[in-house]
Amino acid sequence: MDRSDKFISNRSPKRLVLMFLIMLAVSVIFSAFVSVKAAGYISKEQLKIYLSAAGGGDILKEPSEEDIAAGESVLDIRGIDSDMPPQIVYDYFSIRRCVFIFMLIVTNIPSVVWLFYSMECLFGVYEELEELRNECIRAANELGYAIKLKGHDSDCVRRISESAEILIKRMNHLYSAIEDEKTYLRDFFEDFSHQIKTSLAVVRLNTDILSETEMLDEKCREELDSEIQLNLDAMEELVIQALKLARLDMDTVEYRYEKCLLNDTCRRAVKRILPLLRKENIAVSCEIPTDIFFMHDKGWICEAVENILKNSADHSGCSEIKIELTENPISINLAVSDNGKGIPQKDIPKLFKRFAKKTSGVTMKSAGLGMSIAQKIVRAHNGEILVYSKEGEGTRFELVFLK
């Protein structure tokens, strides 16, 4: 875009020209007024000199009233006196014209300089804005591209450039977050479909066997029915856990915080998981004070504790689980320890990932989402889950809630 296009397409240059024309009109009016006053004054003074000379005064000296009066008596026959209008003096109009032109030039030189300087600055700003526009378009087309600031002369353009740079950084960050979410969703659905397909394959196979084979004895039928029911339960658990995790990820959960005893919440979680623990022959011991109050949602914290207990029961191979609750001036600590086989150090960072515990067996015990759900719930309560484990000696999950 050349300067003529910039002038035609933008209002600012037109406003500058309009302001210049207004200043020019004011200058013309002012110069005309000054020239009339100056020409009248000069003509009056010339008339006094002429009258003084006619009355015998010295033309090189300031005219006196006596010489002027004497000159008036001499020139009275021609109708010339000091009260006559200055316009009839011969040099009046030439004086007025000279003064007018001089004043017009003097008063308009600053206006012309201002106009050219303002135009140059304005077109410089337009060029910088055009450059910034091209940079923004390139940043929009090339993801990850950073705007290159070149020390703009105009403060306003510099501020716009800095704001655009911040906007581009946020856009790139948002794009990265979207890409991460896409990757997460892809992996999530791949793992989800894998889990579902495993159970469906078992259900379909057992159903085909039941429908096509008439000579099965009652014991085989019961085993097949049991496997079908087990896998249907696993699929139901997987769907429920996935829906819970989706709600937590989207921050659509409305926690009902109440200041109540954490002891009651922990015992409720143990009571809910107790049938599974009995089935696995796991003993539970609790060292939970009855006077520790904590602002929390009882239902969701119970869910988090239950998921940790279930994880220990399903995967640790333990025979005992111990629950401890302590309080200090900074935090409330809830620890769940088992005497199982422990977790290798390299696997601890993967513990809270979705489907970290994958299995293709027909007796799938867990959906692989419980620890992710527990971590989300604890973090929503201003807490964190710490894991301490040593192979062969067991694992300790510590829920630390800051007060």
Side-chain angles (χ1 to χ4, degrees):
M1 182 183 291
D2 58 21
R3 295 202 167 190
S4 60
D5 292 334
K6 291 175 182 177
F7 180 83
I8 295 172
S9 305
N10 295 281
R11 293 182 179 179
S12 296
K14 298 175 184 177
R15 288 175 179 171
L16 289 177
V17 172
L18 179 60
M19 290 178 65
F20 173 74
L21 294 176
I22 293 173
M23 293 170 65
L24 181 61
V26 172
S27 175
V28 170
I29 296 173
F30 177 74
S31 299
F33 175 77
V34 172
S35 64
V36 169
K37 293 294 184 181
Y41 176 78
I42 294 171
S43 298
K44 281 281 189 181
E45 292 300 316
Q46 283 183 333
L47 185 57
K48 289 180 180 180
I49 293 173
Y50 297 153
L51 290 173
S52 176
D58 189 349
I59 196 172
L60 300 179
K61 295 182 179 180
E62 182 180 357
S64 63
E65 293 298 330
E66 294 80 5
D67 294 336
I68 292 173
E72 286 180 344
S73 62
V74 172
L75 297 177
D76 185 52
I77 57 174
R78 297 181 180 272
I80 299 174
D81 57 38
S82 59
D83 294 328
M84 63 185 298
Q87 288 83 353
I88 66 172
V89 176
Y90 174 76
D91 292 335
Y92 172 82
F93 291 102
S94 60
I95 293 172
R96 191 176 71 175
R97 183 170 58 253
C98 292
V99 173
F100 175 78
I101 294 172
F102 175 78
M103 291 297 300
L104 190 62
I105 293 173
V106 170
T107 54
N108 277 287
I109 286 176
S111 300
V112 173
V113 172
W114 168 82
L115 177 64
F116 279 101
Y117 177 77
S118 299
M119 283 290 188
E120 191 65 28
C121 293
L122 185 62
F123 286 130
V125 171
Y126 284 157
E127 290 173 2
E128 292 177 352
L129 289 175
E130 188 72 18
E131 179 185 355
L132 178 60
R133 173 183 174 273
N134 295 332
E135 288 284 303
C136 289
I137 292 174
R138 186 175 178 183
N141 294 331
E142 299 179 18
L143 295 173
Y145 179 80
I147 291 179
K148 298 176 182 178
L149 299 175
K150 298 182 179 180
H152 298 285
D153 295 331
S154 174
D155 289 338
C156 63
V157 177
R158 187 181 301 110
R159 289 196 295 270
I160 294 173
S161 299
E162 292 170 354
S163 301
E165 185 180 26
I166 294 172
L167 183 62
I168 293 299
K169 286 181 179 178
R170 291 181 179 177
M171 184 184 72
N172 290 334
H173 176 73
L174 181 61
Y175 174 77
S176 299
I178 292 174
E179 286 297 312
D180 292 341
E181 287 297 321
K182 287 169 64 177
T183 302
Y184 157 70
L185 288 174
R186 183 181 65 248
D187 295 342
F188 179 85
F189 283 114
E190 286 178 358
D191 295 333
F192 187 86
S193 61
H194 169 78
Q195 298 280 23
I196 290 290
K197 286 178 181 177
T198 301
S199 296
L200 284 176
V202 174
V203 172
R204 185 178 294 109
L205 177 62
N206 288 2
T207 303
D208 291 341
I209 293 173
L210 287 172
S211 62
E212 294 178 2
T213 305
E214 299 179 355
M215 303 301 295
L216 287 176
D217 56 28
E218 189 64 25
K219 184 178 180 181
C220 289
R221 288 182 179 275
E222 289 179 358
E223 289 179 355
L224 292 173
D225 285 339
S226 176
E227 289 180 0
I228 290 173
Q229 186 60 46
L230 179 63
N231 282 274
L232 288 175
D233 292 343
M235 284 190 288
E236 181 182 12
E237 178 69 14
L238 176 62
V239 172
I240 293 172
Q241 296 289 343
L243 291 174
K244 285 181 181 178
L245 186 58
R247 289 180 61 197
L248 291 167
D249 281 336
M250 293 186 294
D251 293 327
T252 58
V253 175
E254 295 183 2
Y255 294 99
R256 297 179 180 178
Y257 295 99
E258 299 177 74
K259 191 171 184 179
C260 49
L261 288 169
L262 200 52
N263 166 66
D264 295 340
T265 305
C266 294
R267 293 191 181 280
R268 181 182 175 188
V270 173
K271 187 175 181 180
R272 286 169 55 172
I273 200 71
L274 198 57
L276 174 62
L277 299 178
R278 287 174 180 169
K279 183 180 179 181
E280 300 292 335
N281 295 318
I282 299 174
V284 181
S285 62
C286 299
E287 294 182 8
I288 308 176
T290 58
D291 59 347
I292 297 179
F293 286 86
F294 178 58
M295 185 72 70
H296 66 286
D297 186 306
K298 292 187 290 186
W300 283 105
I301 289 294
C302 179
E303 173 86 13
V305 175
E306 184 181 349
N307 286 346
I308 293 174
L309 290 170
K310 190 172 185 297
N311 180 79
S312 296
D314 285 344
H315 306 300
S316 70
C318 65
S319 60
E320 182 181 356
I321 296 177
K322 184 177 181 180
I323 302 176
E324 301 170 274
L325 182 62
T326 59
E327 183 180 20
N328 58 56
I330 299 176
S331 64
I332 296 174
N333 301 335
L334 174 63
V336 178
S337 307
D338 64 61
N339 63 347
K341 57 187 179 182
I343 304 172
Q345 292 298 313
K346 63 182 178 62
D347 292 336
I348 290 179
K350 305 175 185 177
L351 190 61
F352 297 101
K353 291 184 178 180
R354 285 86 169 171
F355 302 106
K357 187 69 176 178
K358 295 181 182 178
T359 177
S360 57
V362 295
T363 59
M364 182 169 48
K365 294 182 179 180
S366 65
L369 299 173
M371 295 304 294
S372 297
I373 292 173
Q375 186 183 58
K376 289 276 186 182
I377 295 170
V378 171
R379 286 180 174 176
H381 286 76
N382 196 29
E384 191 57 76
I385 301 178
L386 306 179
V387 184
Y388 306 93
S389 184
K390 189 174 182 180
E391 290 185 77
E393 296 184 8
T395 304
R396 177 183 176 90
F397 295 93
E398 192 165 330
L399 284 64
V400 181
F401 300 99
L402 297 177
K403 291 185 177 180

